[in-house]
PDB file of all heavy atoms in Angstrom:
ATOM      1  N   GLY A 104       5.504  32.764   8.734  1.00  0.00           N
ATOM      2  CA  GLY A 104       5.608  31.728   9.751  1.00  0.00           C
ATOM      3  C   GLY A 104       4.324  31.592  10.638  1.00  0.00           C
ATOM      4  O   GLY A 104       4.270  30.748  11.485  1.00  0.00           O
ATOM      5  N   THR A 105       3.393  32.497  10.389  1.00  0.00           N
ATOM      6  CA  THR A 105       2.171  32.586  11.207  1.00  0.00           C
ATOM      7  C   THR A 105       0.979  32.127  10.459  1.00  0.00           C
ATOM      8  O   THR A 105       0.744  32.682   9.332  1.00  0.00           O
ATOM      9  CB  THR A 105       1.939  33.949  11.783  1.00  0.00           C
ATOM     10  OG1 THR A 105       3.130  34.440  12.457  1.00  0.00           O
ATOM     11  CG2 THR A 105       0.777  33.966  12.676  1.00  0.00           C
ATOM     12  N   ALA A 106       0.257  31.101  10.918  1.00  0.00           N
ATOM     13  CA  ALA A 106      -0.923  30.645  10.209  1.00  0.00           C
ATOM     14  C   ALA A 106      -1.989  31.824  10.153  1.00  0.00           C
ATOM     15  O   ALA A 106      -2.125  32.461  11.143  1.00  0.00           O
ATOM     16  CB  ALA A 106      -1.493  29.493  10.871  1.00  0.00           C
ATOM     17  N   PRO A 107      -2.624  31.968   9.030  1.00  0.00           N
ATOM     18  CA  PRO A 107      -3.643  32.995   8.919  1.00  0.00           C
ATOM     19  C   PRO A 107      -4.708  32.948  10.018  1.00  0.00           C
ATOM     20  O   PRO A 107      -5.146  33.939  10.502  1.00  0.00           O
ATOM     21  CB  PRO A 107      -4.295  32.792   7.548  1.00  0.00           C
ATOM     22  CG  PRO A 107      -3.199  32.223   6.723  1.00  0.00           C
ATOM     23  CD  PRO A 107      -2.466  31.272   7.676  1.00  0.00           C
ATOM     24  N   GLU A 108      -5.024  31.716  10.455  1.00  0.00           N
ATOM     25  CA  GLU A 108      -6.063  31.535  11.510  1.00  0.00           C
ATOM     26  C   GLU A 108      -5.581  32.165  12.872  1.00  0.00           C
ATOM     27  O   GLU A 108      -6.457  32.519  13.708  1.00  0.00           O
ATOM     28  CB  GLU A 108      -6.289  29.974  11.755  1.00  0.00           C
ATOM     29  CG  GLU A 108      -6.762  29.273  10.590  1.00  0.00           C
ATOM     30  CD  GLU A 108      -5.632  28.800   9.614  1.00  0.00           C
ATOM     31  OE1 GLU A 108      -4.485  28.667  10.126  1.00  0.00           O
ATOM     32  OE2 GLU A 108      -5.887  28.650   8.404  1.00  0.00           O
ATOM     33  N   ALA A 109      -4.304  32.341  13.048  1.00  0.00           N
ATOM     34  CA  ALA A 109      -3.747  32.862  14.318  1.00  0.00           C
ATOM     35  C   ALA A 109      -3.691  34.355  14.313  1.00  0.00           C
ATOM     36  O   ALA A 109      -3.486  35.030  15.355  1.00  0.00           O
ATOM     37  CB  ALA A 109      -2.354  32.288  14.574  1.00  0.00           C
ATOM     38  N   LEU A 110      -3.932  35.022  13.213  1.00  0.00           N
ATOM     39  CA  LEU A 110      -3.852  36.493  13.077  1.00  0.00           C
ATOM     40  C   LEU A 110      -5.184  37.085  13.399  1.00  0.00           C
ATOM     41  O   LEU A 110      -6.300  36.618  13.065  1.00  0.00           O
ATOM     42  CB  LEU A 110      -3.395  36.854  11.702  1.00  0.00           C
ATOM     43  CG  LEU A 110      -2.071  36.437  11.178  1.00  0.00           C
ATOM     44  CD1 LEU A 110      -1.843  36.771   9.722  1.00  0.00           C
ATOM     45  CD2 LEU A 110      -0.946  36.956  12.105  1.00  0.00           C
ATOM     46  N   ASP A 111      -5.171  38.307  14.066  1.00  0.00           N
ATOM     47  CA  ASP A 111      -6.379  39.035  14.241  1.00  0.00           C
ATOM     48  C   ASP A 111      -6.847  39.706  12.899  1.00  0.00           C
ATOM     49  O   ASP A 111      -6.049  39.704  11.942  1.00  0.00           O
ATOM     50  CB  ASP A 111      -6.219  40.089  15.318  1.00  0.00           C
ATOM     51  CG  ASP A 111      -5.224  41.136  14.991  1.00  0.00           C
ATOM     52  OD1 ASP A 111      -5.120  41.528  13.971  1.00  0.00           O
ATOM     53  OD2 ASP A 111      -4.543  41.586  16.018  1.00  0.00           O
ATOM     54  N   GLU A 112      -8.141  40.206  12.837  1.00  0.00           N
ATOM     55  CA  GLU A 112      -8.601  40.653  11.578  1.00  0.00           C
ATOM     56  C   GLU A 112      -7.841  41.794  11.000  1.00  0.00           C
ATOM     57  O   GLU A 112      -7.553  41.950   9.799  1.00  0.00           O
ATOM     58  CB  GLU A 112     -10.052  41.028  11.723  1.00  0.00           C
ATOM     59  CG  GLU A 112     -10.880  39.759  11.733  1.00  0.00           C
ATOM     60  CD  GLU A 112     -12.428  40.095  11.525  1.00  0.00           C
ATOM     61  OE1 GLU A 112     -12.746  41.019  10.762  1.00  0.00           O
ATOM     62  OE2 GLU A 112     -13.183  39.449  12.223  1.00  0.00           O
ATOM     63  N   ALA A 113      -7.409  42.745  11.884  1.00  0.00           N
ATOM     64  CA  ALA A 113      -6.592  43.946  11.351  1.00  0.00           C
ATOM     65  C   ALA A 113      -5.310  43.541  10.762  1.00  0.00           C
ATOM     66  O   ALA A 113      -4.935  44.021   9.681  1.00  0.00           O
ATOM     67  CB  ALA A 113      -6.305  44.914  12.467  1.00  0.00           C
ATOM     68  N   THR A 114      -4.616  42.609  11.348  1.00  0.00           N
ATOM     69  CA  THR A 114      -3.308  42.090  10.791  1.00  0.00           C
ATOM     70  C   THR A 114      -3.556  41.308   9.476  1.00  0.00           C
ATOM     71  O   THR A 114      -2.837  41.482   8.555  1.00  0.00           O
ATOM     72  CB  THR A 114      -2.608  41.209  11.840  1.00  0.00           C
ATOM     73  OG1 THR A 114      -2.461  41.962  13.036  1.00  0.00           O
ATOM     74  CG2 THR A 114      -1.217  40.806  11.274  1.00  0.00           C
ATOM     75  N   LEU A 115      -4.557  40.463   9.540  1.00  0.00           N
ATOM     76  CA  LEU A 115      -4.940  39.684   8.404  1.00  0.00           C
ATOM     77  C   LEU A 115      -5.282  40.585   7.161  1.00  0.00           C
ATOM     78  O   LEU A 115      -4.753  40.430   6.072  1.00  0.00           O
ATOM     79  CB  LEU A 115      -6.118  38.839   8.679  1.00  0.00           C
ATOM     80  CG  LEU A 115      -6.412  37.655   7.796  1.00  0.00           C
ATOM     81  CD1 LEU A 115      -5.302  36.598   7.872  1.00  0.00           C
ATOM     82  CD2 LEU A 115      -7.698  36.968   8.316  1.00  0.00           C
ATOM     83  N   THR A 116      -6.095  41.657   7.470  1.00  0.00           N
ATOM     84  CA  THR A 116      -6.511  42.534   6.293  1.00  0.00           C
ATOM     85  C   THR A 116      -5.266  43.302   5.825  1.00  0.00           C
ATOM     86  O   THR A 116      -5.108  43.464   4.604  1.00  0.00           O
ATOM     87  CB  THR A 116      -7.523  43.498   6.814  1.00  0.00           C
ATOM     88  OG1 THR A 116      -8.713  42.725   7.257  1.00  0.00           O
ATOM     89  CG2 THR A 116      -7.986  44.508   5.748  1.00  0.00           C
ATOM     90  N   GLN A 117      -4.389  43.769   6.740  1.00  0.00           N
ATOM     91  CA  GLN A 117      -3.251  44.465   6.355  1.00  0.00           C
ATOM     92  C   GLN A 117      -2.322  43.637   5.553  1.00  0.00           C
ATOM     93  O   GLN A 117      -1.727  44.040   4.516  1.00  0.00           O
ATOM     94  CB  GLN A 117      -2.456  44.949   7.591  1.00  0.00           C
ATOM     95  CG  GLN A 117      -1.465  46.018   7.473  1.00  0.00           C
ATOM     96  CD  GLN A 117      -1.030  46.576   8.766  1.00  0.00           C
ATOM     97  OE1 GLN A 117      -1.358  45.940   9.844  1.00  0.00           O
ATOM     98  NE2 GLN A 117      -0.254  47.663   8.797  1.00  0.00           N
ATOM     99  N   GLU A 118      -2.145  42.383   5.879  1.00  0.00           N
ATOM    100  CA  GLU A 118      -1.353  41.472   5.089  1.00  0.00           C
ATOM    101  C   GLU A 118      -1.857  41.211   3.741  1.00  0.00           C
ATOM    102  O   GLU A 118      -1.210  41.233   2.721  1.00  0.00           O
ATOM    103  CB  GLU A 118      -1.185  40.060   5.885  1.00  0.00           C
ATOM    104  CG  GLU A 118      -0.253  39.181   5.167  1.00  0.00           C
ATOM    105  CD  GLU A 118       0.109  37.980   5.960  1.00  0.00           C
ATOM    106  OE1 GLU A 118       0.520  38.109   7.105  1.00  0.00           O
ATOM    107  OE2 GLU A 118       0.037  36.831   5.377  1.00  0.00           O
ATOM    108  N   TYR A 119      -3.225  41.037   3.661  1.00  0.00           N
ATOM    109  CA  TYR A 119      -3.886  40.839   2.393  1.00  0.00           C
ATOM    110  C   TYR A 119      -3.617  42.122   1.425  1.00  0.00           C
ATOM    111  O   TYR A 119      -3.280  41.919   0.286  1.00  0.00           O
ATOM    112  CB  TYR A 119      -5.402  40.620   2.492  1.00  0.00           C
ATOM    113  CG  TYR A 119      -6.047  40.343   1.221  1.00  0.00           C
ATOM    114  CD1 TYR A 119      -6.007  39.113   0.595  1.00  0.00           C
ATOM    115  CD2 TYR A 119      -6.668  41.368   0.569  1.00  0.00           C
ATOM    116  CE1 TYR A 119      -6.512  38.883  -0.636  1.00  0.00           C
ATOM    117  CE2 TYR A 119      -7.338  41.165  -0.696  1.00  0.00           C
ATOM    118  CZ  TYR A 119      -7.248  39.924  -1.264  1.00  0.00           C
ATOM    119  OH  TYR A 119      -7.762  39.709  -2.544  1.00  0.00           O
ATOM    120  N   ARG A 120      -3.756  43.185   1.953  1.00  0.00           N
ATOM    121  CA  ARG A 120      -3.508  44.426   1.174  1.00  0.00           C
ATOM    122  C   ARG A 120      -2.090  44.464   0.670  1.00  0.00           C
ATOM    123  O   ARG A 120      -1.827  44.881  -0.486  1.00  0.00           O
ATOM    124  CB  ARG A 120      -3.879  45.683   1.939  1.00  0.00           C
ATOM    125  CG  ARG A 120      -5.305  45.849   2.181  1.00  0.00           C
ATOM    126  CD  ARG A 120      -5.665  46.991   3.066  1.00  0.00           C
ATOM    127  NE  ARG A 120      -7.102  47.113   3.292  1.00  0.00           N
ATOM    128  CZ  ARG A 120      -7.616  47.731   4.291  1.00  0.00           C
ATOM    129  NH1 ARG A 120      -6.853  48.498   5.159  1.00  0.00           N
ATOM    130  NH2 ARG A 120      -8.879  47.743   4.468  1.00  0.00           N
ATOM    131  N   GLU A 121      -1.130  44.146   1.511  1.00  0.00           N
ATOM    132  CA  GLU A 121       0.242  44.109   1.102  1.00  0.00           C
ATOM    133  C   GLU A 121       0.520  43.117   0.004  1.00  0.00           C
ATOM    134  O   GLU A 121       1.168  43.396  -0.975  1.00  0.00           O
ATOM    135  CB  GLU A 121       1.252  43.786   2.323  1.00  0.00           C
ATOM    136  CG  GLU A 121       2.616  43.516   1.948  1.00  0.00           C
ATOM    137  CD  GLU A 121       3.370  44.723   1.282  1.00  0.00           C
ATOM    138  OE1 GLU A 121       2.992  45.896   1.492  1.00  0.00           O
ATOM    139  OE2 GLU A 121       4.383  44.428   0.576  1.00  0.00           O
ATOM    140  N   LEU A 122      -0.054  41.891   0.154  1.00  0.00           N
ATOM    141  CA  LEU A 122       0.107  40.872  -0.835  1.00  0.00           C
ATOM    142  C   LEU A 122      -0.569  41.312  -2.232  1.00  0.00           C
ATOM    143  O   LEU A 122      -0.047  40.978  -3.250  1.00  0.00           O
ATOM    144  CB  LEU A 122      -0.445  39.567  -0.324  1.00  0.00           C
ATOM    145  CG  LEU A 122       0.421  38.922   0.685  1.00  0.00           C
ATOM    146  CD1 LEU A 122      -0.315  37.781   1.511  1.00  0.00           C
ATOM    147  CD2 LEU A 122       1.781  38.344   0.159  1.00  0.00           C
ATOM    148  N   ASN A 123      -1.701  41.957  -2.112  1.00  0.00           N
ATOM    149  CA  ASN A 123      -2.445  42.365  -3.292  1.00  0.00           C
ATOM    150  C   ASN A 123      -1.659  43.468  -4.015  1.00  0.00           C
ATOM    151  O   ASN A 123      -1.515  43.474  -5.209  1.00  0.00           O
ATOM    152  CB  ASN A 123      -3.753  42.995  -2.856  1.00  0.00           C
ATOM    153  CG  ASN A 123      -4.875  42.379  -3.653  1.00  0.00           C
ATOM    154  OD1 ASN A 123      -4.727  41.301  -4.270  1.00  0.00           O
ATOM    155  ND2 ASN A 123      -6.015  43.081  -3.783  1.00  0.00           N
ATOM    156  N   GLU A 124      -0.969  44.387  -3.253  1.00  0.00           N
ATOM    157  CA  GLU A 124      -0.086  45.436  -3.834  1.00  0.00           C
ATOM    158  C   GLU A 124       1.055  44.738  -4.509  1.00  0.00           C
ATOM    159  O   GLU A 124       1.425  45.119  -5.680  1.00  0.00           O
ATOM    160  CB  GLU A 124       0.420  46.352  -2.665  1.00  0.00           C
ATOM    161  CG  GLU A 124       1.320  47.434  -3.093  1.00  0.00           C
ATOM    162  CD  GLU A 124       0.619  48.373  -4.084  1.00  0.00           C
ATOM    163  OE1 GLU A 124      -0.578  48.628  -3.945  1.00  0.00           O
ATOM    164  OE2 GLU A 124       1.205  48.915  -5.015  1.00  0.00           O
ATOM    165  N   ARG A 125       1.655  43.757  -3.934  1.00  0.00           N
ATOM    166  CA  ARG A 125       2.724  43.007  -4.610  1.00  0.00           C
ATOM    167  C   ARG A 125       2.243  42.409  -5.942  1.00  0.00           C
ATOM    168  O   ARG A 125       2.967  42.404  -6.935  1.00  0.00           O
ATOM    169  CB  ARG A 125       3.373  41.955  -3.717  1.00  0.00           C
ATOM    170  CG  ARG A 125       4.057  42.530  -2.467  1.00  0.00           C
ATOM    171  CD  ARG A 125       4.636  41.358  -1.642  1.00  0.00           C
ATOM    172  NE  ARG A 125       5.179  41.914  -0.433  1.00  0.00           N
ATOM    173  CZ  ARG A 125       5.760  41.145   0.456  1.00  0.00           C
ATOM    174  NH1 ARG A 125       5.957  39.827   0.264  1.00  0.00           N
ATOM    175  NH2 ARG A 125       6.190  41.680   1.582  1.00  0.00           N
ATOM    176  N   ARG A 126       1.029  41.850  -5.836  1.00  0.00           N
ATOM    177  CA  ARG A 126       0.512  41.200  -7.061  1.00  0.00           C
ATOM    178  C   ARG A 126       0.356  42.174  -8.147  1.00  0.00           C
ATOM    179  O   ARG A 126       0.752  41.912  -9.316  1.00  0.00           O
ATOM    180  CB  ARG A 126      -0.845  40.611  -6.642  1.00  0.00           C
ATOM    181  CG  ARG A 126      -1.499  39.908  -7.829  1.00  0.00           C
ATOM    182  CD  ARG A 126      -2.801  39.269  -7.311  1.00  0.00           C
ATOM    183  NE  ARG A 126      -3.536  38.809  -8.367  1.00  0.00           N
ATOM    184  CZ  ARG A 126      -4.843  38.919  -8.509  1.00  0.00           C
ATOM    185  NH1 ARG A 126      -5.477  39.529  -7.603  1.00  0.00           N
ATOM    186  NH2 ARG A 126      -5.414  38.457  -9.596  1.00  0.00           N
ATOM    187  N   PHE A 127      -0.287  43.341  -7.885  1.00  0.00           N
ATOM    188  CA  PHE A 127      -0.562  44.287  -8.874  1.00  0.00           C
ATOM    189  C   PHE A 127       0.642  45.099  -9.400  1.00  0.00           C
ATOM    190  O   PHE A 127       0.567  45.689 -10.428  1.00  0.00           O
ATOM    191  CB  PHE A 127      -1.748  45.182  -8.559  1.00  0.00           C
ATOM    192  CG  PHE A 127      -3.116  44.414  -8.554  1.00  0.00           C
ATOM    193  CD1 PHE A 127      -3.805  44.210  -7.372  1.00  0.00           C
ATOM    194  CD2 PHE A 127      -3.609  43.922  -9.685  1.00  0.00           C
ATOM    195  CE1 PHE A 127      -5.000  43.614  -7.308  1.00  0.00           C
ATOM    196  CE2 PHE A 127      -4.804  43.235  -9.771  1.00  0.00           C
ATOM    197  CZ  PHE A 127      -5.524  43.088  -8.586  1.00  0.00           C
TER     198      PHE A 127
END
Side-chain angles (χ1 to χ4, degrees):
T105 304
E108 302 84 24
L110 299 174
D111 62 36
E112 283 193 39
T114 305
L115 196 64
T116 301
Q117 196 169 11
E118 183 169 313
Y119 181 79
R120 289 177 183 160
E121 170 61 26
L122 290 164
N123 233 21
E124 180 63 33
R125 291 181 191 184
R126 177 176 173 227
F127 288 114

